[in-house]
Amino acid sequence: MDKQTIRDIDLKGKRVIIRVDFNVPQDDDLNITDTTRIEAALPTIKYILGQNASLILMSHLGRPKGKVVKKLSLEPVAKELTCLLDQEVRLVKDYINENIPGLHPGEVILLENLRFHSEEKANDPQFANKLADLADVYVDDAFGTAHRSHASTVGITKYLPAVSGFLIEKELDYLGQTLSHPKKPFVAIVGGSKISTKITVLESLLDKVDTLIIGGGMTYTFCKGEGWLIGDSLFEESYLEMAKGLIEKAKQKGVELLIPVDHMIADKFDNDARTKVVIGDIPDEFIGMDIGPKTIELINIKLKRAKTVLWNGPLGVFEMENFSKGTFSIAKTLGEIDAVTIVGGGDSVSAIKQSGVADKISHISTGGGAAIEFIEGKKLPGIEALNNKVE
Ligand code: AMP
């Protein structure tokens, strides 16, 4: 990686401001239902504290749209951090007007939700400068927002030395290094609802993979492109030609493109719908909801031979139990194979966790959109803004 990390900079006794991703899920009583994102930031936090530095944490939570929204306060996160670090983490609400007194080495504060200020998303220079004034060094460890030019991801880097934390370092190692020089065979599985959001990543994967497996709602536009009937399944007519083009490009490049051969179909978009498995054509008034057993078998054969696997997006409507089999069997197989496995996207990561195989996966990416853009070869502004390594 050519970007500096916290290991490349002297942090001793410094005030360090770190952009983390504490955008955690909460229930109606504002209890945090999954603390993974907070725990994931701990290695970077502990390393910095180990340098006798003081720490200012900042994050967004939800979409308050530039207004103070009480239920999107980071207060519950400050409490959780206080427990996890076994030391007080004070939530600072008004860091714009409040004069934050000098922090002692080892002290940790958390700034209130950055997106309570419209200046954050607008990358307002004064707001960025104000954040920078609080510290001597900036650390970015929020890969999920690295594709956005916000005050806390890009603006602030104009005023402070800027390096990455361990989470971003790992993302760049896997999504950058590993995927540029993958051990072969390299198999990518791309699912999810729509071609429109995945077409660019599919195109760029054609230059890297040996096998590209399509699943999820976008399957049916590809099936249509191959001349199959698709009933009432999800269909993006304006992407039909692109889907056909991708099938053609895969042939030209010698990439094996695996489009589902059988489908679990339903007579309505409902878990309790009447279902059946069909090979090939989907009859009128039926919807393709999941990949079928033959496709699962074919995918498993490919995965067992693979040495690198990238998975992004569910293979069916996995939120409904009756259509979750494709997604969960792939998650289970990924936990069993002897390959470098990289999983990204909220739904696939959730399937991996629910299957209890998270600790068997080489890398679980924390950035959905950012990971896709990075794999597409786009430059992420939050990464570009970090200091380059000195030769
Ligand atoms: P995305 O956000 O594009 O990754 O899409 C995720 C969504 O795709 C999930 O909510 C799935 O329910 C949905 N999905 C997967 N397979 C299908 C399908 N066959 N028909 C409709 N939606 C699907």
Side-chain angles (χ1 to χ4, degrees), residues 127-331:
F127 183 71
N129 199 351
K130 188 87 202 173
L131 295 173
D133 267 351
L134 302 171
D136 309 307
V137 177
Y138 167 75
V139 175
D140 192 357
D141 219 13
F143 187 67
T145 47
H147 58 321
R148 306 278 180 232
S149 280
H150 294 168
S152 69
T153 58
V154 173
I156 190 169
T157 63
K158 294 204 170 53
Y159 311 101
L160 291 176
V163 301
S164 83
F166 295 138
L167 278 178
I168 286 202
E169 183 185 28
K170 190 169 178 238
E171 294 279 0
L172 298 184
D173 274 354
Y174 275 97
L175 300 178
Q177 280 300 107
T178 307
L179 294 190
S180 327
H181 310 283
K183 283 193 197 148
K184 301 267 185 172
F186 176 16
V187 176
I189 312 167
V190 182
S193 57
K194 292 184 173 171
I195 295 195
S196 37
T197 55
K198 302 277 166 80
I199 188 74
T200 328
V201 78
L202 289 172
E203 301 249 358
S204 70
L205 282 170
L206 279 187
D207 291 325
K208 301 187 171 114
V209 299
D210 301 290
T211 304
L212 180 58
I213 298 170
I214 304 284
M218 70 176 115
T219 299
Y220 312 100
T221 307
F222 280 97
C223 288
K224 185 106 171 177
E226 291 277 58
W228 296 104
L229 299 176
I230 60 164
D232 288 341
S233 309
L234 201 66
F235 175 51
E236 288 172 276
E237 194 168 3
S238 51
Y239 283 85
L240 181 61
E241 289 312 312
M242 279 202 184
K244 284 186 188 170
L246 199 102
I247 295 170
E248 206 39 54
K249 272 188 213 157
K251 276 186 201 146
Q252 283 163 12
K253 289 179 193 266
V255 171
E256 181 184 30
L257 184 68
L258 203 161
I259 299 167
V261 293
D262 61 343
H263 317 276
M264 172 67 97
I265 62 170
D267 65 349
K268 54 182 174 183
F269 196 80
D270 192 316
N271 191 45
D272 299 325
R274 198 157 54 91
T275 63
K276 58 182 167 179
V277 171
V278 290
I279 297 177
D281 287 333
I282 297 177
D284 282 353
E285 289 168 24
F286 274 85
I287 309 167
M289 299 287 274
D290 194 9
I291 54 175
K294 270 208 179 334
T295 307
I296 294 179
E297 204 183 307
L298 280 175
I299 297 178
N300 279 337
I301 292 171
K302 297 289 165 205
L303 292 181
K304 282 175 185 159
R305 288 186 195 144
K307 283 288 158 226
T308 307
V309 181
L310 172 72
W311 178 30
N312 185 299
L315 298 162
V317 186
F318 83 118
E319 299 92 335
M320 298 183 195
E321 199 188 341
N322 289 335
F323 310 109
S324 64
K325 203 168 170 196
T327 302
F328 283 108
S329 29
I330 276 27

Side-chain angles (χ1 to χ4, degrees), residues 71-185:
K71 67 177 192 341
L72 294 176
S73 166
L74 284 167
E75 186 78 60
V77 175
K79 287 198 177 123
E80 182 66 31
L81 271 170
T82 299
C83 291
L84 288 169
L85 290 174
D86 199 20
Q87 73 174 77
E88 202 208 340
V89 176
R90 184 165 69 92
L91 182 76
V92 177
K93 295 207 167 154
D94 187 5
Y95 44 91
I96 296 304
N97 302 308
E98 187 182 333
N99 225 345
I100 299 174
L103 298 174
H104 306 295
E107 198 173 337
V108 185
I109 58 171
L110 171 64
L111 306 186
E112 181 56 290
N113 194 341
L114 288 165
R115 291 193 189 162
F116 283 179
H117 302 269
S118 56
E119 294 89 343
E120 158 64 356
K121 284 180 92 169
N123 193 10
D124 178 83
Q126 275 177 340
F127 183 71
N129 199 351
K130 188 87 202 173
L131 295 173
D133 267 351
L134 302 171
D136 309 307
V137 177
Y138 167 75
V139 175
D140 192 357
D141 219 13
F143 187 67
T145 47
H147 58 321
R148 306 278 180 232
S149 280
H150 294 168
S152 69
T153 58
V154 173
I156 190 169
T157 63
K158 294 204 170 53
Y159 311 101
L160 291 176
V163 301
S164 83
F166 295 138
L167 278 178
I168 286 202
E169 183 185 28
K170 190 169 178 238
E171 294 279 0
L172 298 184
D173 274 354
Y174 275 97
L175 300 178
Q177 280 300 107
T178 307
L179 294 190
S180 327
H181 310 283
K183 283 193 197 148
K184 301 267 185 172

